[in-house]
Amino acid sequence: MSIEHNFISSTSQQRLADNIFDEDDKALWEELGDLDLGEIVNGLKGDIILMQSSNQKSNTLQSIIGIFLQSTHTPQKVINMLSRMGVSVSVDAINAAVLSLSAQSHHAIHALGRTLLASYAYDNFDVDLKKTVHTVSESEETLIHLTSGLLFPLQHGITHEDLQCSMILWEKSPLNLQLNPSTAMVKGGWKDLLQLHLDSLNAAGLSHKDRFNSWKMLSNLINYGPLYFCQFKDQLDDPETVNYIPVIKTPILVACAMHLSNSTVSGNISSVVELLRQGGIEDPDEIDDPDMLDMSEYVVLFHGDLGSGECLQAAQQ
């Protein structure tokens, strides 16, 4: 323990001091010297257990460990033993925490879906429910096909008006039996994408690509070239931005897993309907809810793999 921990403490402290900490932090680490991080962690765990024994509300670490034990299907006898030792919370507390987190997640998903500014993503996953006691006559299939789903808000200033184009798309859709040929959408190819953002030339006759290549060459020359060019580092500006999209942290909400297989057309339809239901969107003619929104005029974005796209296209046809 001492050899391993001393090695970890010395190397990790030196790496942190060199790459992360400022001068004051480096001086502090040098003054402290080589510490046994394992003993510090063990001491903190002991203090946390003592705090929990005197104050039942001081159980942050125990709650995290309890949720982890629940997620790994730890037997209840083991959890009860760890709870009596002060390492984890009790089984009842874990179940109450899971129910509370599930209710909070449900309300958050419902609130996001009702804004009609949410995007959905789903995919399939398999679970093998192996039995602990096997019999000779056992022939039941243990592999279960399920579907997982995610919701995330549309960012970058997207409004309801941007998504209120369902009727326009339907009027131009080839699936519309009353389609007017004059308004039909012309199917394009990959070359048409090149016309979306045309590249303009500057006074020197350089395109955006040429100007970036020029900046990249200067950057490599200053940062990795001969030492003579390091003196020009302050004169090198940031590369030119083209149609800059700001980086935004997008929150992800996990939907409840669905006992559906999206390998079929009907399974994909059921997955879409169930995800919309979890998002609080259903048919207003079938649900007695005055707050139910009519989404017939809006577009809802769904993300999936190639098989899901083919199944949904087949469902539309």
Side-chain angles (χ1 to χ4, degrees):
M1 173 180 175
S2 60
I3 298 178
E4 181 181 0
H5 281 164
N6 288 335
F7 174 75
I8 293 175
S9 62
S10 60
T11 55
S12 60
Q13 291 172 13
Q14 183 64 34
R15 189 180 300 111
L16 290 174
D18 292 340
N19 299 331
I20 299 177
F21 297 141
D22 54 19
E23 296 298 330
D24 295 337
D25 294 330
K26 291 181 181 179
L28 176 60
W29 279 104
E30 292 176 358
E31 182 179 353
L32 293 175
D34 291 337
L35 297 177
D36 193 340
L37 298 181
E39 293 182 0
I40 297 177
V41 173
N42 291 331
L44 289 176
K45 289 192 295 184
D47 294 340
I48 293 174
I49 293 175
L50 291 176
M51 291 173 59
Q52 197 268 342
S53 62
S54 59
N55 185 0
Q56 294 296 324
K57 294 184 178 180
S58 179
N59 58 357
T60 303
L61 177 62
Q62 289 80 1
S63 299
I64 296 175
I65 295 177
I67 295 297
F68 172 76
L69 296 176
Q70 174 76 7
S71 64
T72 55
H73 305 287
T74 304
Q76 291 188 5
K77 293 182 178 180
V78 177
I79 298 178
N80 290 330
M81 180 192 67
L82 295 176
S83 175
R84 297 179 184 276
M85 295 171 57
V87 178
S88 171
V89 293
S90 63
V91 176
D92 294 336
I94 294 174
N95 294 333
V98 171
L99 291 177
S100 177
L101 292 174
S102 300
Q104 294 177 14
S105 177
H106 170 73
H107 292 310
I109 292 174
H110 193 273
L112 176 59
R114 283 292 182 95
T115 63
L116 297 181
L117 295 176
S119 186
Y120 300 79
Y122 68 96
D123 198 2
N124 64 294
F125 69 98
D126 299 328
V127 176
D128 190 7
L129 300 178
K130 297 181 180 180
K131 296 185 177 180
T132 57
V133 180
H134 300 277
T135 59
V136 178
S137 60
E138 192 177 73
S139 61
E140 184 180 353
E141 180 66 30
T142 60
L143 188 65
I144 298 179
H145 306 284
L146 305 174
T147 299
S148 61
L150 300 175
L151 284 82
F152 52 92
L154 299 175
Q155 304 280 11
H156 302 98
I158 296 179
T159 62
H160 290 90
E161 289 73 16
D162 299 328
L163 301 176
Q164 197 173 6
C165 56
S166 177
M167 296 303 299
I168 298 176
L169 294 177
W170 178 247
E171 291 174 356
K172 299 181 178 181
S173 173
L175 300 176
N176 187 1
L177 300 179
Q178 301 178 354
L179 175 65
N180 188 351
S182 60
T183 61
M185 289 187 297
V186 179
K187 188 175 182 180
W190 65 269
K191 292 184 178 180
D192 296 324
L193 299 176
L194 302 177
Q195 306 299 322
L196 295 178
H197 302 286
L198 297 177
D199 200 352
S200 58
L201 304 179
N202 62 358
L206 299 178
S207 63
H208 291 305
K209 181 175 66 175
D210 297 333
R211 297 198 289 273
F212 176 78
N213 290 336
S214 176
W215 176 88
K216 186 61 178 175
M217 184 194 69
L218 293 175
S219 176
N220 292 338
L221 191 62
I222 292 174
N223 293 305
Y224 309 107
L227 295 178
Y228 170 79
F229 296 100
C230 293
Q231 59 181 319
F232 304 106
K233 188 172 184 179
D234 296 337
Q235 303 179 20
L236 181 65
D237 298 328
D238 294 331
E240 178 186 358
T241 58
V242 180
N243 296 326
Y244 171 71
I245 300 177
V247 178
I248 297 178
K249 182 179 180 180
T250 302
I252 303 295
L253 301 181
V254 181
C256 182
M258 298 164 285
H259 194 183
L260 300 169
S261 176
N262 60 4
S263 59
T264 61
V265 175
S266 60
N268 277 268
I269 296 176
S270 300
S271 299
V272 171
V273 173
E274 175 61 21
L275 277 177
L276 290 175
R277 188 194 64 80
Q278 293 190 36
I281 300 177
E282 299 185 59
D283 191 349
D285 296 334
E286 299 179 358
I287 302 298
D288 186 13
D289 187 356
D291 297 330
M292 182 64 64
L293 300 175
D294 185 7
M295 54 166 292
S296 60
E297 299 181 358
Y298 298 90
V299 173
V300 180
L301 302 180
F302 275 83
H303 306 268
D305 55 16
L306 181 60
S308 298
E310 292 176 349
C311 289
L312 292 179
Q313 289 182 353
Q316 292 177 340
Q317 297 175 357

